[in-house]
C-alpha cells in the first residue's frame, strides 16, 4: 500500500489568510470606533473586543501564510501508522491507537484519535498537543484531533 500524504493546499491557505486579514482590519475599525466614543465602560469594551479580534484574526492570517512555506506532508498514513507533524515527532503505530472516530462541530469534520495511555505518556507529542486535548475535552470532544482544513484531499 502506498502511503497517503496530505499536504498544505496553497489556495485554501491563501483564502484563510485573506479572510484573517479582512477580519483583522474590521476588528481594528471596531477598536477605533470604541476609542472615538470617549471615556467610559462601553467605549472600553468596544475597544477591547476590537483589539482582541485584531490580534486573533491577525494571528490566523499569519499562521496560514507561514504554512504556505511547508512543503513536506502534514499527515502521512501508512500500513504502520499515522503521522501528523502537528501532533507528534514520529508516526503513531496503529497498535497504540485505541479508537478512531469522526467528530463534527457545526459543518467541520475532525478525525479523532484516542491513544493507549501508556503510549500517550511515552510518545513525543509536540508542544501544545496536550493543551489542545484538554481544551477539546472541555467542550466534550475526547482524543487528539486531526484537522484536515487547509490540506489537500485526495
Amino acid at each position: 500500500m502506498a502511503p497517503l500524504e496530505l499536504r498544505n493546499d496553497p489556495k485554501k491557505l491563501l483564502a484563510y489568510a485573506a479572510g484573517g486579514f479582512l477580519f483583522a482590519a474590521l476588528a481594528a475599525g471596531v477598536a477605533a470606533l470604541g476609542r472615538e466614543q470617549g471615556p467610559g465602560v462601553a467605549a472600553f469594551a468596544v475597544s477591547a473586543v476590537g483589539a482582541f479580534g485584531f490580534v486573533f484574526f491577525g494571528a490566523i492570517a499569519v499562521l496560514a501564510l507561514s504554512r504556505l512555506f511547508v512543503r513536506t506532508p502534514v499527515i502521512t498514513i501508512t500500513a504502520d501508522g499515522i503521522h501528523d507533524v502537528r501532533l507528534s515527532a514520529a508516526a503513531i503505530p496503529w497498535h497504540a491507537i485505541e479508537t478512531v472516530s469522526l467528530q463534527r462541530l457545526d459543518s467541520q469534520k475532525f478525525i479523532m484519535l484516542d491513544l493507549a495511555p501508556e503510549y500517550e505518556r511515552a510518545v513525543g507529542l509536540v508542544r501544545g498537543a496536550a493543551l489542545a486535548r484538554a481544551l477539546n475535552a472541555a467542550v466534550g470532544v475526547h482524543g487528539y484531533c486531526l484537522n484536515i482544513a487547509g490540506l489537500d484531499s485526495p
Side-chain angles (χ1 to χ4, degrees), residues 29-106:
V30 169
L33 285 174
R35 290 180 52 109
E36 288 178 7
Q37 291 179 0
V41 175
F44 175 77
V46 169
S47 291
V49 167
F52 175 80
F54 176 76
V55 171
F56 179 78
F57 291 113
I60 289 173
V62 170
L63 180 64
L65 286 178
S66 70
R67 288 188 178 175
L68 278 173
F69 301 102
V70 176
R71 298 288 180 216
T72 57
V74 177
I75 298 176
T76 304
I77 301 172
T78 66
D80 297 324
I82 187 165
H83 183 215
D84 185 336
V85 298
R86 302 165 300 182
L87 178 61
S88 66
I92 300 170
W94 291 115
H95 67 81
I97 300 172
E98 290 186 340
T99 61
V100 177
S101 62
L102 186 63
Q103 299 283 332
R104 175 176 246 150
L105 182 63
D106 295 325

Side-chain angles (χ1 to χ4, degrees), residues 82 94 97-104 108-115 140-147:
I82 187 165
W94 291 115
I97 300 172
E98 290 186 340
T99 61
V100 177
S101 62
L102 186 63
Q103 299 283 332
R104 175 176 246 150
Q108 193 166 10
K109 294 178 185 176
F110 302 91
I111 299 170
M112 300 302 295
L113 302 178
D114 279 321
L115 304 182
V141 178
H142 300 285
Y144 292 97
C145 175
L146 301 182
N147 186 356

